[in-house]
Amino acid sequence: MRIVLLGAPGSGKGTQATLLVERLGLPHISTGVLLRDAIKRGTKLGLAVREITEKGELVPDDVMSDLVRERLGRDDVAGGFILDGYPRTLEQAEVLDAILEDLGRPVEVAILIDVDTDQIIKRIELRAQEEGRSDDTVEVLRNRMRVYQEKTAPVADYYASRGLLTQVMGTGSREEVLERILSVLQVGTAS
Ligand code: AMP
C-alpha cells in the first residue's frame, strides 16, 4: 500500500505512522527524520537545512525533491510505503506524483488526521509551561502552524480533488485513531 499521511504539527501523525509501520510492515519515510539525521551527521544537506528547520520554516522544494526521489528509488519501497511529512506544498505534491509515475507506483490513499489547531496550540503551550520550555518553542510551533495553514492545507485539497483523500478524526487515544485509519485502509483490526 502506498500511503501519504497528512496532518498539522502535533496532530499525532508521526505517532500514527509508527503504529502503522508496526501493523503493516511498510517502510516509514519521514522527511523530518531524514533531515534531522542529516543535521546530526553534519552532512552538506544537514548544514544547509539546520537553521530553516529550527525556525519552523519549510526547506526549499528542490532540496526536498532530491531527498525524496533518492529515498523512493530504493528497493525497500517496492511493496509500498508510509510517507509522513511530505508533501508539504502543492509543488511537492506534483513532484511526488511525477516521481511515482516514473516508478509506476502512484499514491493510493492520502489520510488527513484532523485536529482542531487551536486545541493543539493550547496543549503545546501548556506543556511548554509545565516543562519549563522557552517561549521560543511556542513561537516556533505557532510559526509551523501558520506555515501549515498557508502551504500544506492545500495539499489535502489536491488529494481530495483526485478522490484519494480520507479524513480521520485525530481525537481520542492513539489506539482509537489507529483503528480509524486501519478501517479506512480496510485492514482487519482484530489482533
Ligand atoms: P517534521 O518532523 O515532519 O515536523 O519536520 C520537521 C521540520 O523539517 C519541518 O518543520 C521543516 O522545517 C522540515 N521539513 C520536513 N519535511 C519537509 C518538507 N516536506 N518540506 C519542507 N520542509 C520539511
Side-chain angles (χ1 to χ4, degrees), residues 58-89:
L58 292 184
V59 171
D61 287 337
D62 55 338
V63 175
M64 294 308 299
S65 303
D66 291 345
L67 184 70
V68 168
R69 187 175 285 110
E70 190 279 323
R71 182 62 188 89
L72 288 172
R74 292 201 215 150
D75 291 343
D76 66 332
V77 297
F81 53 79
I82 296 166
L83 201 44
D84 160 17
Y86 189 93
R88 259 177 156 100
T89 65

Side-chain angles (χ1 to χ4, degrees), residues 31-32 35-36 53 57-59 64 85-86 88 92 144:
T31 46
L35 293 173
R36 280 189 286 280
T53 59
E57 300 288 342
L58 292 184
V59 171
M64 294 308 299
Y86 189 93
R88 259 177 156 100
Q92 291 182 8
R144 293 181 69 196

Side-chain angles (χ1 to χ4, degrees), residues 1-8 10-33 36 80-86 88 111-113 168 170 173-175 177-182 185:
M1 228 175 304
R2 293 178 293 274
I3 305 164
V4 167
L5 266 189
L6 301 170
S11 62
K13 187 165 47 74
T15 304
Q16 291 303 321
T18 307
L19 294 173
L20 282 170
V21 164
E22 281 167 20
R23 284 297 290 259
L24 305 176
L26 295 171
H28 176 193
I29 303 178
S30 158
T31 46
V33 168
R36 280 189 286 280
F81 53 79
I82 296 166
L83 201 44
D84 160 17
Y86 189 93
R88 259 177 156 100
I111 295 176
L112 173 64
I113 303 181
V168 163
S173 70
R174 41 193 255 168
E175 287 75 21
V177 179
L178 177 66
E179 293 300 309
R180 289 179 202 134
I181 296 176
L182 290 172
L185 300 174

Side-chain angles (χ1 to χ4, degrees), residues 118-190:
D118 290 345
Q119 274 304 110
I120 292 180
I121 290 183
K122 276 191 206 134
R123 206 191 309 157
I124 304 266
E125 279 178 344
L126 188 68
R127 203 171 63 188
Q129 281 170 10
E130 283 171 359
E131 294 178 11
R133 293 192 203 170
S134 69
D135 277 341
D136 265 2
T137 306
V138 173
E139 282 314 305
V140 170
L141 178 80
R142 284 184 180 276
N143 193 34
R144 293 181 69 196
M145 285 295 192
R146 188 184 52 74
V147 169
Y148 177 82
Q149 292 301 341
E150 255 173 47
K151 306 268 175 64
T152 309
V155 172
D157 299 333
Y158 177 89
Y159 287 112
S161 71
R162 282 163 174 69
L164 296 176
L165 186 80
T166 302
Q167 295 200 31
V168 163
M169 257 198 324
T171 50
S173 70
R174 41 193 255 168
E175 287 75 21
E176 283 167 334
V177 179
L178 177 66
E179 293 300 309
R180 289 179 202 134
I181 296 176
L182 290 172
S183 99
V184 168
L185 300 174
Q186 297 181 323
V187 173
T189 54

